[in-house]
Structures are given as structure tokens and as C-alpha cells.
Amino acid sequence: MTTSEPTEPIPAPTFSRRRLFTLGAGAALTAALAACGSNTGRGSGSSGGHGAPVLSQWYHQYGEAGTEQAVKRYAAAYTEARVSVQWRPGDYDRQTAAALLTDAGPDVFEVNGPTLDQIQGHQVVDLTHEIAAVRPDFNAAVLAPKTYRGKVYGIPQTIDMQMLYYRKSLLTAAGVRPPRTLHELVDAAHRLTTRNVKGLFLGNDGGAGVLGGTPLFAAGLELVTADGRVGFDDPAAAAALAGLHTLYANKSLLLGAPADWADPSAFTQGLTAMQWTGLWAMPQIKKALGDDFGVLPFPAAGNHGRPAVPVGAYATAVSARSKHVDAAKAYAKWLWVDRTDDQQDFALSYGFHIPARVSLAKKAAKLRTGPAADAVGFATDHGHASPLLWTPKSQTALQDALTRIIQGGADPSAQLKSVVSTVGSELSRVLKKSGKG
């Protein structure tokens, strides 16, 4: 959850889901944390009436109206166990990390991960069997960070994503086509900038806080390779980040907007011709602008680049300390594999998100046409998520370098050399811990 919500127009609930982009999905919590208290939601006994087990299920506190009632309704429909749902305000990730170290935690829980520490520490159980029948149907990008050594430890729920929105009428008036490459984006932002309108809004810091590894993916690179090595030790990475500084230096970027990148008001109020924000903003943009907007992935950078779209998903996991592991696994499967109607309801009735299953995303009525359908295609074809081996220290190193490059004009090659060193050390540490080093 964010500590402060925008006064308008983005509802608090979508903020709680999209926070995983700014935190870095899959980043590990490495500190041992204090316990969460005695209010566990397990009730006074370990089983319900007629011998049915009692399962405690935790969610972080969404702000979207109706979400809490919906998940409690789903749980009440389950007949093989009595499921007690807890809505957890505050720092949910820390609460959960602490609870998993005790016998007072949840049986089934929503998680921004699971993290590498939770998997390596045997705090969560293997759910590979539970999703086996539909595993290829899950969005590959969001499933990857839930997977360790081929085993799945979290079942993705719904997808949030970011992309580039552009105002059709402003681009047409300026004779600018929707940019397909980073070079075209820089040129378009410059040409669209006027006395009263900036060409592009990437956030009030110029994009350092939100873009993360997206420009590196757009350059055809990765944060971490499949064999656990640094994936962006390449001149193409520096060239892509240099383009971001050009946007900042030529004053094409909107800075100091009343609300930051997650809120589309700068775009809907005409302060910028293009804005980087999330799918969650689309209903509000549609309401304000009608059909006068389109969407794009982050454009390809360099000769070997590709479009890039950051995606993320909370997942359902099962605690290894549960007294009813088999029952908890069965419930997780029932909810996030079998109950496809509820999965669509959770994604699209309380905010605007994409079901984690590709087949459900394709047939959802609200996602079949226009920019929404484009967004589903982007998430499926160009989606990328922070890998499981990407640690908070790696994320901080990259973000600090982005700030120095974008705002300060620091040499991208030198900055990336330092980031590569930090990330390499982090990978050696976590791989050694996993027995691969």
C-alpha cells in the first residue's frame, strides 16, 4: 500500500496493486522481522464443523470498492474447508514475511512474490502440481518470477502493467506518428512540446523511479540471464539510457506535475501529449478523452531492440507451516485455477486489470476491443517482470544510476559498469546460497 493516495482521480485500490512496479516484483526481504501479533484469523480451533479444516487466508488491503467483499464471497463458496479471510492494512509484505517465521501466520496468503528468501527458506510450498493442467495458459512473464528451479511457488492472480498513452489529436496536428523506436520517441516528444504542453510525462523525476529495467529490455537485453548472469553488460544498454537523458536535457519532459506518473490527470488535463502510466488509468482516460487516445509499449531501442512492457502480479501461496497444507493447496487451486468466473470478476469488477490466464484475458468482454485489447496484446507479447534473482540491492543500484544519468547527465557507460558490478555480486551471493555458486 502507498502511504498517501491521490485525492483524485485514481482510486486507492489500484495503487495497492501497482505498487509492485515501484518495489520491484520478486525482490527479496532479507531481514528477520518482528512477529505480527496474535490476531491470526485462524479462530480457536484447527477444524470447522464435521471435521472440515479451518484455513486462514490473508490479503493486503486493497482500496478498490467491493474487493474485500468479493474475496470473502469467493471463500464462502468453498465447501471443502472453512476459509477465514483477513484484510491486512499497513506494511503487508513485512507482516507476511514475519508471520511465515512463526506458527501464527496464514495458511494461504497473497504475496508480492514469493521472494527468493521465502522459497530458499522453505517457507512456501510447491504448487506446481496444482497448476499443471493450465500452466501454459498463465502469462509467461508473470509466472517466471514465481518459479524456482522449474517449480511454481505462487499462482498469479491478476496482472498490472504500464504502457505509453498518446493523444491522437495532438500527434495528428503536429504531424507526428506514434513512436515505434526510442529515437522516434525522443523526436516526437520534442516536436510535441509547445509553450503550454510538454511532449512526454515519465514522472516528476524524469522516469528514473518508474522505468527501472524497461529501457534495458527495450534494448533487447535482460536484467538477469537464464543462467544467472548479469544481462545488460552491453553497449546497447548505455545507448538506451543516453536517450532518456536527451529527453530530459531538451526539456521535452513534463516535470513538477501536480500528480505523479501513476495518476493520468496530467494527460487528461492536456499538460502532456504522451504519458507513461498504467492500465488501471484507462477507464479514467476513456471517460475524459473518449476515443482521442492510443497506447503503445515502450519503444524498441537500438538495432536489436524490442518493444517492452513491465508487468507484475500478486500471487497466492501456501505456508509450509500450515497445519493443513494439502487442504490449503486444494483451496488455492480451486480459487485460482478452477474458478475462472471469479478470476475474471476479481480482475475487472474492482478496478481495471488483466486476468493472469491468457485465455481469460482474451475472452474478457472489457478487454476485447480498442486500447484495452492492445494492452492485453502488449502484456502477452512484450511483457517483462523483475526476475526472481533481482534483489533490492540490485534494484537500488539501477535506480540510483538512472537518476544520475537522466537528471545529471552522468556517463551511462560508467554508471552501468558500477551497476553491473553490484548486480554481479548480488547474483553470486544468492546463487551461492542456493547451492549453485
Side-chain angles (χ1 to χ4, degrees), residues 30-305:
T30 57
L33 302 166
C36 298
S38 60
N39 183 17
T40 66
R42 290 187 185 275
S44 58
S46 62
S47 63
H50 307 291
V54 175
L55 301 177
S56 170
Q57 183 182 22
W58 285 12
Y59 288 88
H60 82 284
Q61 185 181 32
Y62 292 81
E64 293 145 320
T67 311
E68 181 178 4
Q69 292 76 12
V71 298
K72 289 181 176 179
R73 185 174 69 250
Y74 307 154
Y78 190 58
T79 59
E80 301 302 313
R82 182 164 66 85
V83 182
S84 174
V85 173
Q86 270 206 31
W87 213 238
R88 306 287 296 189
D91 193 335
Y92 178 82
D93 290 340
R94 287 183 178 271
Q95 292 178 32
T96 305
L100 292 178
L101 302 176
T102 76
D103 291 327
D107 299 290
V108 184
F109 63 101
E110 182 180 60
V111 62
N112 182 11
T115 69
L116 186 62
D117 281 353
Q118 289 165 353
I119 295 171
Q120 291 180 336
H122 306 290
Q123 297 172 18
V124 291
V125 302
D126 178 6
L127 298 174
T128 308
H129 174 73
E130 280 62 41
I131 74 161
V134 296
R135 183 170 178 171
D137 192 37
F138 278 94
N139 180 288
V142 298
L143 185 62
K146 324 299 182 191
T147 306
Y148 183 62
R149 295 184 174 179
K151 296 180 179 180
V152 176
Y153 290 88
I155 305 176
Q157 298 175 175
T158 64
I159 298 172
D160 274 327
M161 59 173 291
Q162 300 166 15
M163 56 191 164
L164 183 68
Y165 289 77
Y166 64 92
R167 188 79 174 265
K168 291 179 179 179
S169 59
L170 294 181
L171 268 67
T172 298
V176 173
R177 71 174 186 175
R180 303 291 175 173
T181 67
L182 180 57
H183 176 77
E184 289 182 0
L185 178 65
V186 172
D187 179 67
H190 181 68
R191 293 170 60 187
L192 289 164
T193 297
T194 67
R195 181 176 181 180
N196 298 316
V197 180
K198 288 292 186 179
L200 178 62
F201 184 41
L202 297 174
N204 284 326
D205 64 354
V210 62
L211 291 179
T214 299
L216 304 180
F217 283 94
L221 307 172
E222 300 174 88
L223 296 178
V224 179
T225 65
D227 60 352
R229 299 179 183 274
V230 178
F232 54 93
D233 189 6
D234 189 289
L241 300 189
L244 298 180
H245 173 66
T246 301
L247 285 165
Y248 188 92
N250 68 15
K251 302 187 185 304
S252 299
L253 296 180
L254 174 64
L255 303 171
D260 216 334
W261 68 272
D263 186 317
S265 57
F267 184 66
T268 59
Q269 293 172 11
L271 303 180
T272 181
M274 299 182 290
Q275 177 173 338
W276 184 259
T277 186
L279 176 66
W280 57 80
M282 189 174 291
Q284 183 182 333
I285 292 173
K286 177 75 172 176
K287 182 178 180 180
L289 301 179
D291 294 327
D292 188 22
F293 75 96
V295 292
L296 293 170
F298 192 89
N303 294 332
H304 303 289

Side-chain angles (χ1 to χ4, degrees), residues 332-348:
K333 176 182 181 296
W334 175 86
L335 182 57
W336 294 111
V337 174
D338 301 339
R339 301 281 286 189
T340 54
D341 288 348
D342 287 344
Q343 291 159 35
Q344 288 204 51
D345 179 66
F346 188 67
L348 291 161

